[in-house]
Amino acid sequence: MLARLTFNYDPLVAEILDNLPEDLIINGTVLDPAMGGGQIVKEVERRKRAAGKTDAEIRATVFGMESNVMRRDYAVNKHHLVGTYTAEDFLTIDISKLKVDLVVMNSPYTNGQVMTYTKFFERALDVGNLVASIMPVDLQSRHDKLRFHNQRVLKHNTYISDSV
């Protein structure tokens, strides 16, 4: 049995993409390294298609990863996605040759007691020229595990939404 939770965060995805350079979304390479239900890549593909991009151009410029093949297939089939989507774990693959213009993600926050969103953010900075991430942020936190992450967020921050 496949159990799934339904989250509708389309308005937040739209807000994030609206605050990024449109030319980068339309003409650049975009990666969602934890695509889950595919909401982010669905909107990226929609914007590219509205700008006149073909399926072949979308396939060559929109990429997604999901560690669970069933979730990946569900997202691709549900949204009729045409980009390049793989069943890989972004945290364990070799990223030395992976480079994109934009990383947009809503990565898993934890895996048990391990905070994974900080690891996703760190790796995304290594592969993307620009990174947009949905993550819990308390930049005033004194928690030891968040100190380095918060410094990194502050160093790279240009926009933090107050929508959530």
Side-chain angles (χ1 to χ4, degrees), residues 24-107:
L24 192 63
I25 296 166
I26 303 305
N27 297 311
T29 52
V30 180
L31 169 68
D32 180 350
M35 62 183 274
Q39 295 93 331
I40 292 172
V41 289
K42 171 190 76 168
E43 180 61 14
V44 169
E45 284 194 13
R46 186 195 70 72
R47 289 177 186 222
K48 283 182 178 275
R49 192 167 281 109
K53 300 296 181 184
T54 65
D55 283 356
E57 290 170 315
I58 292 170
R59 195 171 359 273
T61 60
V62 180
F63 305 95
M65 294 177 189
E66 176 52 56
S67 61
N68 182 299
V69 69
M70 290 192 322
R71 281 195 297 254
R72 189 256 342 244
D73 291 348
Y74 173 79
V76 168
N77 292 324
K78 178 181 180 182
H79 302 300
H80 308 288
L81 301 173
V82 299
T84 302
Y85 303 106
T86 59
E88 297 178 282
D89 184 346
F90 182 64
L91 295 181
T92 61
I93 65 164
D94 177 10
I95 61 170
S96 62
K97 294 183 176 136
L98 181 60
K99 195 67 178 165
V100 294
D101 297 312
L102 174 62
V103 176
V104 184
M105 64 183 176
N106 180 20
S107 60

Side-chain angles (χ1 to χ4, degrees), residues 4 6-7 14 18 21 37 43-44 47 63 66 113 120 125:
R4 65 177 185 251
T6 302
F7 296 103
D18 288 347
E43 180 61 14
V44 169
R47 289 177 186 222
F63 305 95
E66 176 52 56
Q113 296 295 320
F120 270 88
L125 290 172

Side-chain angles (χ1 to χ4, degrees), residues 122-150:
E122 181 177 340
R123 292 196 88 169
L125 290 172
D126 290 337
V127 302
N129 292 330
L130 184 63
V131 175
S133 179
I134 299 171
M135 67 177 129
V137 176
D138 177 2
L139 296 175
Q140 308 311 312
S141 174
R142 296 180 191 268
H143 193 285
D144 288 343
K145 291 183 178 180
L146 290 177
R147 188 173 297 132
F148 182 69
H149 174 72
N150 287 347

